[in-house]
């Protein structure tokens, strides 16, 4: 049905109803509900320290989600996230004990961007869905991570503990990096030409191509950006841990994908927001924190977390319909 | 309006259906006799689709009663609808390419042999019976991917007949078909009709309504305007009923051309698809491209835009070679392409109007940051200029009617200041009122100097808007008609 012909006024404001239907509103709502329930059971939930702990817990996930989310917005998947965190973390650990910290960080980020660009080139050249292409690449990278580390862990030797600290003893430093990443993504998505092009490519690749958009270029750019974000995520994570195992990053891929999807980024591309990605990641942290504070048996936590996520996705599907 | 000797098989009374913010149907009555064709006409959004969806059971009415074969219903489920013998031929077919004709016919009801295993042989036997019943011959073993568009439609009909059908709904069956093969479809409909099946027919093409006869119901803004015998109504009053006012009719304004050619299309060719096509265009000229589907018209446009491989071919604009190798080149040189299928390659359906309108302009700009206010203001200006009926430029494009979507695509190219516009079937699936608006826009823009090359399978359309009409046949440009010579007979003569 065509609603447009019935109204002639150019109201040009997002309708009030659409706010209630948005993913953002829904995510905030569900977090408040969980928050209220948990704080009744365990008042410690609302302490400043705990709230910051939640943000700390999702810092790495949130940072890498911005990268993977950008690729998703162009209508592609990037499943190399986890193994790349490991590789970049290992390179960082290997370098930091020998070289200057700044040089190390710059190298790690540049390497992340370069590997991302390589992923983008392969994903746009191979005539298969990027899901499969990056899945294959991720297996390769897992192997490389194991080779690089020689199958064992590598310690930072106590150096570079910046991201294990708290600013003024309160605010965890990784949270600041997360904040910067989200604000950066917000600016790119909303206010830059190349950000808009990511959405155009994901919104309708063929229409974008016929509209003169250099589709391949922007896809490669999105993959490169993602690689850079994985590097920053790896730096934050490994600095916190002080040690890196070849498998340290492996478990990050699917939770990140789930958080992005919960955050309202369309898996078919063209839709998503920085705030949504942040809230999606935050919801994951909130749920696991809530399960700890309410004293759920550790063995049941994953089951409960999975079910809660499924519930969140299910309800959001109904809300959006 | 008694149909002597015929049984009334369906009657819907007082059917109403409201969606949030829209009344789709407002107390509509509709009935159908056995063995008749009852056409349903109206603009996009008039409520035709909702009415047939209620019959098919995919939508429930808020109010109203239905009586089908003497049984009363408040609503139907899809399964009930099928069991009553109500079948629908959808506008877009849902066939499975990698399977045979026979398997597609019985896809939801595969035939088995005595041992209970699926049997292709049984399927083929039964398919043959259905095809005989429809009085057509298609080999049931053929793969769907090898069928022509009209054969696909016929297959859809055959599939409907895999169960007992007493009411068959056709939703714009000819939208994707060539005029030449339409008769094939109409003959089948006659056969079905003679066997007592009641047909509900929806189409934007009014000629077909007059060909198919029996009765026609006009819907407008969810209300029934009238039901009449086709023999008692003429095209003018039909259109008047659909759009509410007396049809203004489109009238081409005269224009004068400056001397000399502005754009040379030189020797375009690619294998057998397009063979050595050349023609010249004046500033502000509207050049129609006629021919059958598959005659190379669409491919020619795509080649001129650099979106499709070519062997040879040059575009010379004001003496300068601007031959695009890619769409990026084409856009730099002020060429725009409006493809036939807006959904697959014209619009970002899930994005707002203004982001669609600004796309090409943005691609051309060297800005790093977006200028959001300028972007929205320009989109609003385009909305005004082209009279795009939408409450806000933030509206998501997929909620717009076909005509408004087409205007958004046009706005996109105009904002990018395209000088040469290549249009592929610009009014397919668009209602009469919106069609006229598009014609007027093309006319006004060409008078302002823009060059149009328009592919259309609607000869009336080509006659109405073109200054000249080039006719393609199997990749060759066989004739260019001018002035008085542009008429239906000539177009058909050279097309076939």
């Amino acid at each position: 049905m065509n609603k447009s012909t019935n109204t002639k006024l150019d109201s040009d404001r997002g309708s009030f109803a659409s706010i209630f239907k948005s993913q953002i509103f829904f995510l905030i709502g569900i977090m408040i509900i969980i928050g209220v329930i948990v704080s009744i059971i365990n008042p410690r939930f609302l302490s400043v320290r705990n709230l910051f702990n939640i943000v700390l817990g999702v810092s790495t996930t949130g940072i890498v989600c911005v990268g993977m989310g950008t690729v998703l917005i162009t209508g592609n998947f990037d499943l190399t996230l986890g193994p790349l965190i490991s590789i970049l973390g290992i390179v960082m650990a290997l370098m930091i004990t020998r070289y200057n910290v700044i040089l190390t960080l710059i190298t790690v980020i540049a390497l992340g961007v370069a590997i991302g660009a390589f992923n983008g080139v392969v994903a746009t050249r191979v005539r298969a869905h990027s899901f499969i292409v990056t899945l294959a690449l991720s297996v390769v990278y897992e192997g490389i991570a194991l080779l690089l580390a020689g199958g064992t862990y590598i310690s930072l030797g106590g150096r570079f503990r910046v991201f294990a600290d708290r600013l003024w003893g309160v605010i965890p430093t990784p949270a600041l990096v997360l904040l910067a990443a989200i604000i950066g993504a917000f600016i790119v998505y909303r206010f830059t030409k190349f950000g808009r092009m990511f959405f155009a490519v994901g919104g309708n690749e063929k229409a974008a191509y016929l509209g003169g958009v250099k589709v391949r270029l922007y896809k490669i750019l999105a993959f490169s950006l993602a690689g850079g974000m994985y590097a920053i995520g790896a730096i934050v994570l490994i600095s916190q841990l002080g040690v890196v195992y070849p498998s340290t990053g492996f478990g990050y891929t699917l939770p990140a994908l789930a958080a992005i999807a919960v955050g309202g980024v369309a898996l078919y591309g063209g839709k998503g927001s920085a705030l949504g990605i942040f809230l999606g990641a935050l919801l994951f942290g909130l749920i696991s924190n809530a399960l700890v504070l309410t004293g759920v048996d550790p063995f049941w936590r994953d089951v409960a977390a999975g079910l809660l996520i499924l519930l969140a996705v299910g309800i959001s599907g109904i809300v959006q319909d | 309006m008694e149909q002597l000797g015929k049984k009334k098989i369906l009657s819907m009374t007082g059917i109403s259906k409201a969606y949030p913010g829209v009344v789709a149907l407002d107390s509509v009555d509709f009935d159908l006799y056995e063995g008749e064709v009852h056409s349903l006409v109206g603009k996009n959004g008039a409520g035709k689709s909702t009415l047939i969806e209620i019959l098919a059971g995919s939508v429930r009415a808020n109010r109203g009663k239905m009586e089908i074969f003497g049984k009363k219903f408040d609503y139907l489920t899809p399964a009930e609808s099928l069991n009553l013998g109500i079948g629908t031929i959808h506008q877009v077919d849902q066939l499975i390419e990698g399977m045979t004709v026979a398997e597609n016919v019985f896809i939801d009801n595969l035939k088995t042999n005595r041992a209970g295993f699926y049997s292709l042989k049984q399927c083929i036997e039964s398919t043959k019976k259905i095809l005989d019943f429809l009085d057509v011959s298609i080999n049931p073993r053929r793969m769907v991917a090898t069928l022509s568009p009209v054969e696909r439609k016929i297959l859809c009909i055959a599939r409907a007949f895999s169960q007992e059908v007493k009411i068959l709904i056709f939703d714009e069956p000819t939208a994707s078909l060539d005029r030449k093969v339409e008769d094939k479809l109409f003959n089948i409909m006659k056969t079905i009709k003679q066997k007592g099946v009641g047909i509900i027919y929806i189409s934007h093409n009014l000629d077909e309504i007059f060909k198919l006869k029996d009765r026609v119901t006009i819907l407008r803004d969810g209300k029934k305007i009238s039901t009449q015998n086709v023999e008692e109504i003429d095209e003018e009053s039909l259109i008047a009923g659909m759009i509410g006012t007396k049809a203004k009719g489109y009238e081409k304004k005269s224009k004068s051309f400056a001397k000399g050619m502005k754009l040379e299309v030189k020797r375009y060719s690619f294998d057998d698809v397009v063979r050595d096509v050349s023609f010249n265009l004046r500033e502000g000229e509207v050049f129609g491209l006629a021919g059958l589907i598959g005659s190379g018209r669409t491919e020619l446009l795509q080649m001129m835009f650099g979106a499709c491989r070519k062997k040879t071919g040059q575009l010379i604009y004001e003496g300068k070679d601007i031959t695009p190798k890619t769409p990026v080149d084409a856009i730099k040189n002020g060429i725009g392409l409006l493809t036939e299928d807006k959904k697959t390659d014209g619009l970002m359906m899930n994005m707002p109007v203004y982001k669609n309108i600004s796309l090409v302009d943005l691609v051309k700009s060297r800005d790093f940051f977006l200028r959001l206010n300028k972007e929205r203001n320009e989109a609003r200006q385009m909305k005004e200029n082209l009279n795009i009926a939408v409450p806000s430029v933030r509206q998501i494009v997929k909620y717009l009617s076909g005509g408004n979507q087409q205007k958004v695509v046009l706005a996109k190219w105009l904002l990018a200041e395209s000088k040469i516009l290549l249009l592929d079937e610009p009014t397919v699936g668009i209602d009469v009122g919106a069609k006229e608006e598009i014609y007027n826009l093309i006319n006004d823009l060409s008078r302002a100097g823009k060059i149009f090359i328009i592919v259309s399978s609607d000869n009336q359309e080509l006659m109405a808007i073109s200054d000249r009409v080039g006719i393609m046949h199997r990749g060759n440009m066989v004739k260019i008609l001018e002035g008085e010579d542009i008429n239906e007979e000539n177009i058909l003569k050279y097309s076939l």
Side-chain angles (χ1 to χ4, degrees):
Chain A
M1 266 320 96
N2 140 19
K3 300 173 189 176
S4 53
T5 46
N6 290 342
T7 12
K8 287 193 182 73
L9 287 171
D10 190 330
S11 58
D12 218 46
R13 239 171 271 142
S15 77
F16 198 59
S18 74
I19 298 171
F20 290 99
K21 283 191 166 188
S22 85
Q23 188 82 2
I24 309 274
F25 178 84
F26 162 75
L27 283 171
I28 293 173
I30 201 164
M31 282 194 241
I32 290 173
I33 293 170
I34 295 177
V36 168
I37 295 172
V38 177
S39 58
I40 292 169
I41 300 173
N42 189 339
R44 259 199 313 157
F45 173 80
L46 279 181
S47 69
V48 174
R49 186 159 186 94
N50 186 55
L51 293 179
F52 273 122
N53 275 343
I54 295 174
V55 181
L56 175 63
V58 298
S59 296
T60 305
T61 312
I63 293 164
V64 295
C65 274
V66 168
M68 195 199 245
T70 307
V71 176
L72 246 77
I73 284 170
T74 69
N76 288 273
F77 280 83
D78 184 1
L79 299 181
T80 64
L81 186 156
L84 281 190
I85 291 182
S86 291
I87 290 182
L88 295 163
I90 291 164
V91 171
M92 172 181 158
L94 288 173
M95 280 185 74
I96 214 154
T97 45
R98 279 162 236 187
Y99 306 102
N100 170 297
V101 170
I102 302 292
L103 177 73
T104 303
L105 299 189
I106 291 173
T107 311
V108 168
I109 292 172
L111 183 66
V113 172
I115 298 176
F118 173 75
N119 287 344
V121 170
V122 175
T124 52
R125 275 290 174 211
V126 177
R127 284 174 181 268
H129 196 281
S130 53
F131 185 93
I132 300 299
V133 175
T134 57
L135 182 64
L137 283 172
S138 80
V139 178
V140 174
Y141 294 145
E142 278 187 17
I144 292 176
L146 289 161
L147 287 170
L148 274 179
T152 177
Y153 69 89
I154 301 167
S155 164
L156 296 189
R159 300 188 69 182
F160 195 59
R161 302 285 290 161
V162 178
F163 294 115
D165 274 345
R166 284 178 189 247
L167 197 62
W168 308 304
V170 191
I171 305 169
T173 42
L176 297 174
V177 182
L178 174 62
L179 185 70
I182 298 297
I183 291 173
F186 178 77
I187 291 169
V188 168
Y189 294 168
R190 289 286 286 272
F191 301 116
T192 68
K193 176 180 163 178
F194 75 99
R196 174 69 65 77
M197 291 304 147
F198 293 152
F199 285 86
V201 169
N204 185 342
E205 185 174 330
K206 235 180 142 197
Y209 171 72
L210 291 176
V213 178
K214 290 170 180 152
V215 172
R216 267 196 72 208
L217 175 80
Y218 285 107
K219 280 190 192 170
I220 294 171
L221 190 60
F223 274 100
S224 316
L225 259 174
M229 294 313 293
Y230 304 161
I232 295 172
I235 290 167
V236 169
L237 178 69
I238 306 308
S239 167
Q240 274 178 66
L241 300 176
V243 59
V244 53
Y245 288 85
S247 61
T248 296
F250 291 180
Y252 275 84
T253 310
L254 292 180
L257 185 59
I260 294 164
V262 169
V265 177
L267 294 183
Y268 47 80
K271 212 174 125 206
S273 68
L275 188 58
I277 293 172
F278 171 68
L279 293 176
L282 194 60
L283 179 66
F284 273 66
L286 187 74
I287 288 174
S288 61
N289 182 270
L291 294 172
V292 174
L293 289 190
T294 48
V296 173
D297 180 79
F299 292 130
W300 280 99
R301 268 180 220 155
D302 279 351
V303 176
L307 290 176
L308 272 170
I309 291 156
L310 196 59
L311 186 71
V313 176
I315 298 172
S316 102
I318 296 167
V319 170
Q320 289 201 320
D321 196 21
Chain B
M1 255 168 293
E2 274 305 304
Q3 304 267 317
L4 280 173
K6 284 192 174 168
K7 235 174 41 205
K8 192 186 258 195
I9 50 179
L10 162 75
S11 85
M12 302 169 88
T13 41
I15 302 287
S16 297
K17 172 74 191 174
Y19 292 102
V22 199
V23 178
L25 287 175
D26 184 2
S27 194
V28 168
D29 299 340
F30 186 84
D31 59 4
L32 185 69
Y33 290 85
E34 62 177 14
E36 80 155 341
V37 176
H38 190 160
S39 297
L40 203 50
V41 299
K43 294 194 292 182
N44 290 331
K48 304 175 304 245
S49 314
T50 311
L51 193 67
I52 60 168
E53 278 169 358
I54 289 171
L55 259 185
S58 51
V59 168
R60 284 183 192 185
N62 301 121
R63 267 186 296 120
K65 291 249 177 292
M66 291 186 274
E67 196 178 323
I68 306 168
F69 307 116
K71 272 185 268 178
K72 288 193 167 66
F73 297 91
D74 286 330
Y75 64 85
L76 295 171
T77 63
E80 278 174 338
S81 172
L82 280 176
N83 287 335
L84 282 168
I86 301 174
T88 310
I89 310 298
H90 295 281
Q91 191 175 350
V92 181
D93 59 46
Q94 288 137 355
L95 298 173
I96 301 168
E97 304 281 332
M99 286 194 179
T100 60
V101 167
E103 284 165 308
N104 267 279
V105 168
F106 288 101
I107 192 66
D108 43 14
N109 183 21
L110 285 175
K111 296 283 168 192
T112 51
N113 59 19
R114 256 175 292 167
F117 288 106
Y118 155 65
S119 155
L120 181 61
K121 211 175 126 207
Q122 291 285 335
C123 279
I124 289 171
E125 294 290 311
S126 309
T127 303
K128 270 191 191 139
K129 270 182 214 152
I130 294 173
L131 292 171
D132 285 346
F133 172 81
L134 295 175
D135 204 14
V136 286
S137 60
I138 297 175
N139 184 347
R141 289 179 189 274
R142 272 176 69 186
M143 282 296 184
V144 166
T146 69
L147 297 181
S148 71
V150 70
E151 285 171 329
R152 294 176 74 104
K153 268 298 168 217
I154 293 170
L155 172 53
C156 292
I157 300 172
R159 184 195 251 185
F161 277 92
S162 69
Q163 284 165 326
E164 204 190 352
V165 175
K166 292 177 194 139
I167 297 174
L168 195 52
I169 302 165
F170 285 86
D171 189 2
E172 292 203 45
T174 57
S176 56
L177 295 185
D178 229 306
R179 280 288 180 81
K180 200 182 118 199
V181 293
E182 278 171 14
D183 286 335
K184 227 174 180 173
L185 199 63
F186 294 160
N187 285 337
I188 294 174
M189 289 172 68
K190 267 181 206 146
T191 313
I192 300 171
K193 199 176 122 171
Q194 275 158 13
K195 312 223 156 136
V197 175
I199 294 174
I200 301 173
Y201 191 80
I202 295 180
S203 177
H204 281 306
N205 191 332
L206 301 182
D207 291 348
E208 294 170 14
I209 311 295
F210 291 100
K211 257 190 223 167
L212 288 166
K213 295 271 165 58
D214 297 345
R215 290 188 299 156
V216 57
T217 289
I218 305 171
L219 292 180
R220 186 207 311 154
D221 300 333
K223 292 194 185 71
K224 184 173 119 174
I225 302 302
S226 69
T227 300
Q228 280 168 284
N229 286 327
V230 171
E231 269 144 15
E232 294 160 7
I233 193 168
D234 58 16
E235 185 157 344
E236 204 178 322
S237 45
L238 205 55
I239 294 174
M242 282 163 65
I243 61 179
T245 48
K246 205 168 166 341
K248 283 186 301 250
Y250 163 75
E251 216 163 294
K252 199 165 94 183
K253 292 171 209 142
S254 67
K255 56 184 156 191
S256 53
F257 293 107
K259 277 218 171 123
M261 293 302 169
K262 194 88 169 169
L263 177 72
E264 285 178 67
V265 180
K266 261 169 101 176
R267 313 204 63 159
Y268 268 85
S269 68
F270 181 71
D271 290 355
D272 291 344
V273 183
V274 173
R275 303 182 204 188
D276 201 10
V277 171
S278 301
F279 54 100
N280 296 327
L281 291 155
R282 293 166 289 186
E283 183 171 11
E285 181 157 24
V286 178
F287 190 89
L289 272 177
L292 301 178
I293 287 170
S295 60
R297 300 171 303 168
T298 298
E299 291 79 1
L300 177 62
L301 286 196
Q302 300 260 347
M303 283 179 206
M304 289 170 62
F305 191 67
C308 174
R309 275 174 60 200
K310 63 173 193 290
K311 208 170 234 157
T312 60
Q314 274 183 303
L315 277 188
I316 314 284
Y317 185 75
E318 291 178 332
K320 221 175 79 195
D321 187 345
I322 60 162
T323 317
K325 282 193 198 68
T326 60
V328 177
D329 290 346
I331 285 157
K332 263 186 215 145
N333 288 303
I335 307 173
L337 173 69
L338 287 79
T339 52
E340 175 176 359
D341 192 344
K342 300 174 286 281
K343 280 196 188 76
T344 59
D345 47 27
L347 289 167
M348 300 169 290
M349 299 304 280
N350 288 314
M351 286 165 74
V353 169
Y354 75 91
K355 288 187 186 173
N356 273 284
I357 291 181
S358 67
L359 180 73
V360 181
D361 189 45
L362 194 59
V363 166
K364 286 173 80 176
S365 86
R366 289 170 182 279
D367 296 345
F368 180 80
F369 284 105
L370 300 171
R371 287 188 268 172
L372 291 170
N373 276 327
K374 175 172 163 275
E375 183 184 14
R376 270 175 224 143
N377 284 332
E378 283 172 345
R380 278 187 207 115
Q381 193 58 50
M382 276 295 161
K383 167 178 125 79
E384 290 293 309
N385 293 353
L386 304 192
N387 195 17
I388 304 173
V390 55
S392 156
V393 292
R394 288 173 198 257
Q395 176 74 275
I396 302 296
V397 168
K398 72 173 168 201
Y399 300 121
L400 271 59
S401 68
N404 283 316
Q405 286 179 352
Q406 188 62 277
K407 287 182 190 171
V408 171
V409 184
L410 191 55
K412 171 169 81 176
W413 292 107
L414 293 178
L415 187 64
E417 291 174 337
S418 309
K419 293 172 296 213
I420 303 161
L421 289 156
L422 313 173
L423 277 57
D424 197 353
E425 302 285 5
T427 62
V428 158
I430 290 179
D431 65 63
V432 182
K435 249 185 202 176
E436 278 173 13
E437 278 192 72
I438 303 252
Y439 294 168
N440 277 318
L441 278 172
I442 292 171
N443 196 219
D444 290 343
L445 290 164
S446 69
R447 279 154 52 89
K450 305 230 185 264
I451 295 174
F452 283 87
I453 301 177
I454 301 176
V455 166
S456 175
S457 296
D458 182 347
N459 294 337
Q460 302 288 341
E461 174 168 298
L462 287 176
M463 285 153 54
I465 58 178
S466 315
D467 298 309
R468 285 186 296 159
V469 175
I471 298 159
M472 289 190 67
H473 180 70
R474 296 197 177 165
N476 294 304
M477 175 78 77
V478 288
K479 181 79 187 171
I480 295 177
L481 300 171
E482 223 168 319
E484 296 288 299
D485 291 340
I486 305 177
N487 56 44
E488 185 122 40
E489 295 85 73
N490 274 339
I491 294 178
L492 277 177
K493 190 169 86 190
Y494 292 105
S495 297
L496 301 179

